[in-house]
Amino acid sequence: MQTLNQRRLYEELELISRRSSQKTPLVRRVNSALRNGLRSGWREFLNFLTPSPDPRISTFTNAHGETIWRVYDPVSQQAASLSSESELRVWLEQRYNR
């Protein structure tokens, strides 16, 4: 049987754990930004270790929820940030037609 103090302590600890498991919108946004940053950094690190003449393409979502396409051509060392897949295709076509 639990004493009154033990019961209060247990309830306080349970409340703390319940509160800590509920993430606020700010915490969720920060966690998401950190995950995206780590993924992007990891990809860049892998690209550094495995150089290739092929263009490198990645995407990210900006603060407005729009998808941004990033492309880098290691041969010409040119980079671009584009707002649509069709713009990306045009950029790639121009790269091959140079």
Side-chain angles (χ1 to χ4, degrees), residues 4-5 8-9 13 17-18 21 23 32-34 38 50 79 83 96-97:
L4 184 59
N5 285 339
R8 282 189 197 147
L9 179 61
L13 290 172
S17 68
R18 280 189 218 129
S21 66
K23 296 179 180 173
S32 177
L34 287 172
L38 288 172
T50 56
S83 59
Y96 286 113
N97 291 329

Side-chain angles (χ1 to χ4, degrees), residues 50-65:
T50 56
S52 167
D54 296 331
R56 298 178 192 149
I57 301 169
S58 61
T59 61
F60 75 95
T61 304
N62 67 13
H64 303 289

Side-chain angles (χ1 to χ4, degrees), residues 89-98:
R89 290 176 187 269
V90 169
W91 192 91
L92 290 170
E93 287 295 324
Q94 289 174 349
R95 172 189 182 266
Y96 286 113
N97 291 329
R98 288 183 206 148

